[in-house]
Each structure stands twice: as structure tokens, then as C-alpha cells.
Amino acid sequence: MTQRNLYFLFPEMNINSGGHIAQLKFMAIAQSLFKAQPVTYKKKEKNILFLNDVIKDINATNNIYIIHWGPHIQELLTKLKNFNVVYFAHSTGYKFKISSKVPIITVSKHSQAYWGRYAPNNLIFYLPNEISDKYHNQQQQRKIDVLVQKRKSSKYLIEELVPALNPHCNLTLIDYWVEDLATIFNQTKVYLYDSTEYWVQAKASEGFGLPPLEAMACGCTIFSSINDALSDYLDPSFNCHKLRVYSKEYDVQRILKAVENWQNNSVNINIVNNYRLSLIKERIVRIFEEINNFFDHQQSFSENIPNIIKYKPFSLDKVIKKISSFF
């Protein structure tokens, strides 16, 4: 087996995006195990390789180019069609096709199922995001009754539920980028998250949904939508509560009851442990062992490649409009 160099491709290095930060974490894990480094392709940056220079000067068969930024995937697949490419799939719904020569690593079972349907001839792997050890229950007093982040939240959550809850509890609404969420989660009893509307409008999916799992690791009670990849780990009435049920009044009643009855415990610790670094490292080693073997095979045998199944990508917003027309 040839152990190839790994090049993680980014448009640029400084982007305040969950998917970008998650990919940086994956690269850091890979760097602890293999020879791996970042490469930018939209913006040249100091001390960072630039894609046009890399593909011009370095032997193609000794490298693997790992792409992930959804809006640029089609462009990158075309640019790198003669190279070893791996697609790291976070969100779904970008309506591009992937050659069977490109392995796909998915960060959720939801994304794995999507590509299992629309790329049936590809190697497909599951490698979830890591939950850092800093996200743990510090067993401290909690001054925030209810925490909401404005980013990705539905209009219902921000414009209806937050005003209804505000007079009855100590509610904190975060409308700015937070570097250290672990500290805030450890000050919080109940965390609210509702991203369905955001992703439907974006015509994409919730790729993983880190905040509810990170909040869970810190001991928060979770009220959340369960769309897309959130259903990987959220289990209503067992480790969370489904948000946006029946009426605003019903949500308010359940949330205030959860605040009143909140207890400091770690009942969900076993779920969170499935996303800790040691298990992620084990998976990434095995995955790239198979990927390297696959590219070895491609070098020596490139005939009889199965035809790619043609499909029309699933459009969630059209389905929702169709359902709405019946009511």
C-alpha cells in the first residue's frame, strides 16, 4: 500500500463557518497520523501552499486532494479530474455528481445515506466530527436558564418563542460568533436549537449539527429540531426534546418545566463518548488505509468502471411546497 500525502483544500484559511472549522479539526487529526497540510485555492496566503502551484510541481500519484466546500465541489472535481481526490461531505443538496473514482467521507449517517443512494458505485465512509474534551460537564452553578444562538435559528424561535420565554426565565440570546462555547454551555440549563428553516432555504442539509451535541456534553437539556444529521444522535424524550411541537404555548410550557426541574447530571455521556478523539483516530486510520489501497488499484486497473447512475437530485423545498398545498 502506498501512503500518500494528504492535501486538505480550503478556499481560504480564515472562515467563520462550522463546516470550515470542522474540516480544520479533521486536518489536525490527520496531521497527527499522516503527512498532511492545508492548501488554499481561491486566495494565496502566507506560508500556505496554493493549489495551482501544488498540482503543477508535485507528482500526482503520491498525493490525495481532500475537498469539502460544497459550492466549489463541481469546479474542483473538474480541475482535479486527473488526480487522486476525496470528497469530505458535510451538508448535502448541492446538486453535483461524483465520479466513482472519488471516495466519499461523510460526517453523518444522514449524508452517508444520501450518497449511498446517489453515488452507489463510490467508496463511502462515515467519519463523524470530534467533540473536544473541553466540552464536558464542569458540575457548576448555572445562571442561564435558556440559551439561544441567533445563527441558523428559525424565525419562529427568534421572533415568537424567545419573546414568549423572556419574561419567565433568564434567557440569553447570542447574536455574535463565540470562540468558547463550552464555558457558556456550562452556565446553561436548557439549550434551544432549530435549524430546519435555515437549511430548507439554503437548499442544503444540516451536515452534522455540532452545537446540540456539544451542549449535551456540557450537561444542558436540549430542545431541538431533528432534521437531517441531527437525527444521528438526537432521540426525543430519551436524550432531548423535540422543539416546535403543535403550538408556541406547548413549547413554552415544556421548556419552563425543564428549567424548573433541571438537574446537574451526565446521563448522555455514553452518546457523547462516541465522538471523542480516540475513536475518531481509529476510524480515520482505517478509512485512509482503504482509500490508499483503492488508489493503488486505480493506478493498475482502470477498465470496466461501472456506469454512474443518473439521477435528479432531491429537492426538499419542492416537497415541502407540495405538502403545504394539501392544507
Side-chain angles (χ1 to χ4, degrees), residues 212-246:
L213 190 57
E214 290 171 340
M216 184 186 295
C218 295
C220 299
T221 298
I222 310 299
F223 280 78
S224 177
S225 56
I226 54 171
N227 51 293
D228 311 324
L230 294 171
S231 285
D232 269 26
Y233 60 86
L234 289 180
D235 191 2
S237 88
F238 292 93
N239 65 21
C240 73
H241 302 278
K242 168 73 168 61
L243 190 65
R244 198 169 181 160
V245 174
Y246 185 65

Coordinates of all heavy atoms in Angstrom, one line a residue, residues 212-246:
P212 N -25.8 21.3 19.4 CA -26.6 20.5 20.3 C -25.8 19.4 21.0 O -26.0 19.1 22.2 CB -27.8 19.9 19.5 CG -27.9 20.8 18.3 CD -26.5 21.3 18.0
L213 N -24.9 18.7 20.3 CA -24.1 17.7 20.9 C -23.1 18.2 21.8 O -22.9 17.6 22.9 CB -23.5 16.8 19.8 CG -22.8 15.5 20.2 CD1 -23.8 14.6 20.9 CD2 -22.1 14.8 19.0
E214 N -22.5 19.3 21.5 CA -21.6 20.0 22.4 C -22.3 20.4 23.7 O -21.7 20.3 24.8 CB -20.9 21.2 21.7 CG -19.9 20.7 20.6 CD -19.4 21.9 19.8 OE1 -20.1 22.9 19.8 OE2 -18.4 21.7 19.1
A215 N -23.5 21.0 23.5 CA -24.3 21.4 24.7 C -24.6 20.2 25.5 O -24.6 20.3 26.8 CB -25.5 22.2 24.2
M216 N -25.0 19.1 24.9 CA -25.3 17.9 25.6 C -24.1 17.4 26.4 O -24.3 17.0 27.6 CB -25.8 16.8 24.6 CG -26.2 15.5 25.2 SD -26.5 14.2 24.0 CE -27.9 14.9 23.1
A217 N -22.9 17.5 25.8 CA -21.7 17.0 26.5 C -21.5 17.9 27.8 O -20.9 17.4 28.7 CB -20.5 17.2 25.6
C218 N -21.9 19.1 27.8 CA -21.7 20.0 28.9 C -22.9 19.9 29.9 O -22.9 20.7 30.9 CB -21.6 21.5 28.4 SG -20.1 21.7 27.4
G219 N -23.8 19.0 29.7 CA -24.9 18.8 30.7 C -26.2 19.5 30.5 O -27.1 19.5 31.3
C220 N -26.3 20.2 29.3 CA -27.5 21.0 29.1 C -28.7 20.1 28.7 O -28.5 19.0 28.1 CB -27.3 22.0 27.9 SG -26.0 23.2 28.1
T221 N -29.9 20.5 29.0 CA -31.1 19.9 28.4 C -31.3 20.5 27.1 O -31.3 21.7 26.9 CB -32.3 20.1 29.3 OG1 -32.0 19.5 30.6 CG2 -33.6 19.5 28.7
I222 N -31.6 19.6 26.1 CA -31.7 20.0 24.7 C -33.1 20.0 24.2 O -33.8 19.0 24.3 CB -30.8 19.1 23.8 CG1 -29.4 18.9 24.3 CG2 -30.8 19.7 22.3 CD1 -28.6 20.2 24.4
F223 N -33.5 21.2 23.6 CA -34.7 21.2 22.8 C -34.3 21.6 21.4 O -33.7 22.6 21.2 CB -35.7 22.3 23.3 CG -36.5 21.9 24.5 CD1 -35.9 21.9 25.8 CD2 -37.8 21.6 24.4 CE1 -36.7 21.5 26.9 CE2 -38.6 21.2 25.5 CZ -38.0 21.2 26.8
S224 N -34.6 20.7 20.4 CA -34.0 20.9 19.1 C -34.9 20.4 18.0 O -35.8 19.5 18.2 CB -32.7 20.2 19.0 OG -32.1 20.3 17.7
S225 N -34.8 21.0 16.8 CA -35.3 20.3 15.6 C -34.5 19.0 15.4 O -33.4 18.9 15.9 CB -35.2 21.2 14.4 OG -33.8 21.6 14.2
I226 N -35.1 18.1 14.7 CA -34.4 16.8 14.5 C -34.2 16.5 13.0 O -34.2 15.4 12.5 CB -35.1 15.6 15.2 CG1 -36.6 15.6 14.7 CG2 -35.0 15.8 16.7 CD1 -37.2 14.3 15.2
N227 N -34.0 17.6 12.2 CA -33.8 17.5 10.8 C -32.4 16.9 10.4 O -31.5 17.1 11.2 CB -34.0 18.9 10.1 CG -33.1 19.9 10.8 OD1 -33.4 20.3 11.9 ND2 -32.1 20.4 10.1
D228 N -32.4 16.3 9.3 CA -31.1 15.9 8.7 C -30.2 15.1 9.7 O -30.6 14.2 10.3 CB -30.4 17.1 8.1 CG -31.3 17.9 7.2 OD1 -32.2 17.4 6.5 OD2 -31.3 19.2 7.3
A229 N -28.9 15.6 9.8 CA -27.9 14.9 10.6 C -28.2 15.0 12.1 O -27.6 14.2 12.8 CB -26.5 15.4 10.2
L230 N -29.0 15.9 12.5 CA -29.3 15.9 13.9 C -29.9 14.6 14.4 O -29.8 14.3 15.6 CB -30.3 17.1 14.2 CG -29.7 18.5 14.0 CD1 -30.8 19.5 14.1 CD2 -28.6 18.8 15.0
S231 N -30.6 13.9 13.5 CA -31.2 12.6 13.9 C -30.2 11.5 14.1 O -30.5 10.5 14.6 CB -32.2 12.2 12.9 OG -33.4 13.0 13.0
D232 N -28.9 11.8 13.8 CA -27.9 10.8 14.1 C -27.8 10.5 15.6 O -27.6 9.4 16.0 CB -26.5 11.4 13.6 CG -26.1 11.0 12.2 OD1 -27.0 10.8 11.4 OD2 -24.9 11.0 11.9
Y233 N -28.0 11.6 16.4 CA -27.7 11.4 17.8 C -28.9 11.9 18.7 O -28.9 11.5 19.9 CB -26.4 12.0 18.2 CG -26.4 13.5 18.0 CD1 -26.9 14.4 18.9 CD2 -25.8 14.1 16.8 CE1 -26.9 15.8 18.7 CE2 -25.7 15.4 16.6 CZ -26.3 16.3 17.6 OH -26.2 17.6 17.4
L234 N -29.8 12.7 18.2 CA -30.9 13.2 19.0 C -32.0 12.2 19.0 O -32.5 11.7 18.0 CB -31.4 14.5 18.4 CG -30.4 15.7 18.7 CD1 -31.0 17.0 18.1 CD2 -30.1 15.9 20.1
D235 N -32.5 11.9 20.2 CA -33.6 10.9 20.4 C -34.6 11.5 21.3 O -34.5 11.4 22.6 CB -32.9 9.7 21.0 CG -33.8 8.5 21.1 OD1 -35.0 8.6 20.6 OD2 -33.4 7.4 21.6
P236 N -35.7 12.1 20.8 CA -36.6 12.9 21.6 C -37.2 12.0 22.7 O -37.6 10.9 22.5 CB -37.7 13.3 20.5 CG -36.9 13.4 19.3 CD -35.9 12.3 19.3
S237 N -37.3 12.6 23.9 CA -37.8 12.1 25.1 C -36.8 11.2 25.8 O -37.0 10.8 27.0 CB -39.2 11.4 25.0 OG -39.0 10.0 24.7
F238 N -35.7 10.8 25.1 CA -34.7 10.0 25.8 C -33.4 10.8 26.1 O -32.8 10.7 27.1 CB -34.3 8.8 24.9 CG -35.5 7.8 24.8 CD1 -36.4 7.9 23.8 CD2 -35.6 6.8 25.8 CE1 -37.5 7.0 23.8 CE2 -36.7 5.9 25.8 CZ -37.6 6.0 24.8
N239 N -32.9 11.6 25.1 CA -31.8 12.5 25.4 C -32.0 13.9 25.0 O -31.1 14.7 25.1 CB -30.5 11.9 24.7 CG -30.6 12.0 23.2 OD1 -31.4 12.7 22.6 ND2 -29.7 11.2 22.5
C240 N -33.2 14.2 24.5 CA -33.6 15.6 24.1 C -35.1 15.7 24.1 O -35.8 14.8 24.4 CB -33.0 15.9 22.8 SG -33.8 15.1 21.4
H241 N -35.5 16.9 23.7 CA -36.9 17.2 23.4 C -37.1 17.8 22.1 O -36.3 18.6 21.7 CB -37.5 18.1 24.5 CG -37.4 17.7 25.9 ND1 -38.2 16.7 26.5 CD2 -36.4 18.0 26.8 CE1 -37.9 16.5 27.7 NE2 -36.8 17.2 28.0
K242 N -38.1 17.4 21.3 CA -38.4 17.9 20.0 C -38.9 19.3 20.2 O -39.9 19.5 20.9 CB -39.4 17.0 19.3 CG -40.0 17.6 18.0 CD -39.0 17.7 16.9 CE -39.8 18.0 15.6 NZ -40.4 19.3 15.5
L243 N -38.3 20.3 19.5 CA -38.7 21.7 19.6 C -39.8 21.9 18.5 O -39.8 21.2 17.5 CB -37.6 22.6 19.4 CG -37.8 24.1 19.6 CD1 -38.1 24.4 21.1 CD2 -36.6 24.9 19.3
R244 N -40.6 22.9 18.7 CA -41.6 23.4 17.7 C -42.7 22.3 17.5 O -42.9 21.8 16.4 CB -40.9 23.7 16.3 CG -41.7 24.5 15.4 CD -40.8 25.0 14.2 NE -41.5 25.8 13.3 CZ -41.0 26.6 12.5 NH1 -39.7 26.8 12.4 NH2 -41.7 27.4 11.7
V245 N -43.3 22.0 18.6 CA -44.4 21.0 18.6 C -45.7 21.6 18.8 O -45.9 22.3 19.9 CB -44.1 19.9 19.7 CG1 -45.2 18.9 19.8 CG2 -42.8 19.2 19.4
Y246 N -46.6 21.5 17.9 CA -48.0 21.8 18.0 C -48.3 23.3 18.1 O -48.9 23.9 17.2 CB -48.7 21.1 19.1 CG -50.2 21.3 19.2 CD1 -51.0 20.9 18.1 CD2 -50.8 22.0 20.3 CE1 -52.4 21.1 18.2 CE2 -52.2 22.2 20.3 CZ -53.0 21.8 19.3 OH -54.3 22.0 19.3

